[in-house]
Amino acid sequence: MITPPGLPAGCPPWYSRPAARAWTCAPAPTARVQAFHAGLPGYAPTPLTEVPAIAAELGVGRVLVKDESARLGLPAFKVLGASWAVRQVLTRRPAGSRVVLVTATDGNHGRALARMARLFGQQAHVFVPGGVHPTAVAAIAAEGARVTEITGTYDEAVRLAAEAARAPAAELVQDAGWPGYEEVPGWIVEGYSTLFAEIDAQLAEAGTGEPALVAIPAGVGSLTQACVIHYRGRAGGRAPALLTVEPGTAACVLASLVRGELGTISTSETIMAGLNCGTPSMVAWPYLRDGLDAAVAVADADSAAAARDLAGYGIPAGPCGGASLAGARAALTGEDAEARRAALAVGPAATVVLLCTEGSAANPVPES
Ligand SMILES: Cc1ncc(COP(=O)(O)O)c(C=O)c1O
């Protein structure tokens, strides 16, 4: 496997722990969350698109791509979490009260929060770190949010957002948690459960059983937490292998797994802006540590190439969306692929699900 640039010293690009498939946890309250999402304006399940050419390339039976390029009118999956969390936050406040919903973002979560604040008649204040594409920043402002751009990292933006949310009538709606701040990120993770419930229904419709492998682009790991809860939170059936994919320049989940403890790494810019995080969510960490089979890091050029390939198959992937395919390629093909395939228990008849978490409208894909 080729080591992408930017990995912390001594951190390999690949980690696996097959015992994770036997780990179980409590299930998610999927039905309540799905009913809420179904009531939002414009809700429809996003497509799960089969791409036989990618299955042939990866040497597996079927590849299906969950295409989040148009989710509730936005170009990424994040609104599933932001909407459910905003609903929960507003439900516990006195009816009719006004609140400023505060967050930090690499782009997609902040835009989703701003959209939901507007839908529910509230205001949003969004902190944006350096390196986020200007069109992504403009898109947040266009939702009616107050935007504060900083020159520092995502972690610094989170700290500033948490500080700003201490003001009266303000509420932090962050998609990562730490000790003392667990409830809201927990709601965001619950919100993501709709995506996996849709996949179940769509795989059943496609006549496919449980997938053998699900590839997940990871930033702070909250989407991965939702994925682990979905597949490890139910009894019976064959548990799929779960693989996170991160940029080499911001592989905080991989680095923490390799070290065996949650840690912070220094990050640098990546076209996979939504994955540019230096510290995994502490709320997600126990699920990542115990329930995740494998983690891989990829280079920007590989996610861009994967996104362009997906576009060629009619899936308008952004750079984070391409990461899953780049990660599956790194894991399932190339030198020593046999050992990695064995660790993931992926054979020639396997069904692989790739989460394409954003469209190119969220973040542009560089030309080759
Ligand atoms: C498009 C996209 N994909 C994946 C992720 C990763 O989600 P998480 O930070 O929960 O790991 C993000 C996070 O912002 C994102 O914007």
Side-chain angles (χ1 to χ4, degrees):
M1 180 179 284
I2 297 162
T3 299
L7 277 176
C11 181
W14 169 255
Y15 163 94
S16 84
R17 198 182 83 87
R21 280 201 286 290
W23 187 77
T24 55
C25 61
T30 313
R32 270 176 72 218
V33 179
Q34 258 195 301
F36 163 73
H37 284 139
L40 289 176
Y43 171 80
T46 55
L48 184 71
T49 305
E50 181 153 16
V51 189
I54 297 179
E57 178 204 333
L58 297 179
V60 297
R62 300 180 83 171
V63 167
L64 297 108
V65 181
K66 185 64 171 163
D67 174 4
E68 292 293 312
S69 61
R71 171 64 85 178
L72 288 163
L74 290 172
F77 78 99
K78 302 286 303 192
V79 65
L80 289 174
S83 57
W84 177 245
V86 168
R87 186 255 183 211
Q88 296 292 79
V89 162
L90 297 180
T91 302
R92 79 168 170 196
R93 293 183 83 90
S97 62
R98 311 276 304 163
V99 62
V100 180
L101 302 165
V102 185
T103 200
T105 186
D106 296 322
N108 293 317
H109 170 67
R111 183 171 177 196
L113 184 74
R115 172 72 61 95
M116 286 302 120
R118 196 155 54 116
L119 181 70
F120 289 103
Q122 308 293 339
Q123 285 181 301
H125 184 184
V126 179
F127 287 78
V128 180
V132 175
H133 200 276
T135 53
V137 179
I140 300 167
E143 301 290 346
R146 177 178 161 203
V147 177
T148 301
E149 284 186 81
I150 67 160
T151 49
T153 63
Y154 174 80
D155 284 6
E156 279 158 26
V158 172
R159 196 175 49 73
L160 290 171
E163 243 171 63
R166 281 198 209 108
E171 185 104 39
L172 184 68
V173 186
Q174 198 58 57
D175 52 349
W178 49 85
Y181 185 71
E182 283 131 1
E183 194 171 37
V184 173
W187 287 330
I188 288 176
V189 170
E190 281 179 9
Y192 298 155
S193 65
T194 293
L195 187 156
F196 298 102
E198 288 176 4
I199 292 176
D200 281 352
Q202 289 165 322
L203 287 179
E205 233 168 73
T208 310
E210 197 91 329
L213 174 68
V214 182
I216 317 133
V220 295
S222 290
L223 176 64
T224 310
Q225 181 188 348
C227 185
V228 168
I229 290 172
H230 183 78
Y231 290 107
R232 309 285 186 244
R234 56 186 188 199
R238 190 192 159 285
L242 307 177
L243 166 73
T244 53
V245 187
E246 296 172 284
T249 52
C252 65
V253 170
L254 172 70
S256 291
L257 290 169
V258 168
R259 280 175 40 173
E261 59 179 352
L262 181 78
T264 296
I265 57 164
S266 57
T267 61
S268 51
E269 267 186 41
T270 165
I271 58 165
M272 295 170 263
L275 315 184
N276 192 356
C277 309
T279 314
S281 165
M282 287 187 208
V283 175
W285 172 244
Y287 296 89
L288 308 178
R289 182 193 59 208
D290 297 333
L292 185 63
D293 298 73
V296 69
V298 298
D300 276 6
D302 295 331
S303 81
R308 288 191 299 268
D309 291 345
L310 287 169
Y313 298 118
I315 300 157
C320 298
S324 298
L325 174 55
R329 282 174 169 161
L332 301 180
T333 65
E335 218 179 295
D336 298 331
E338 229 167 273
R340 290 189 297 273
R341 293 176 79 101
L344 297 169
V346 168
T351 295
V352 174
V353 171
L354 305 176
L355 302 187
C356 178
T357 50
E358 73 177 354
S360 51
N363 274 304
V365 180
E367 316 241 315
S368 58

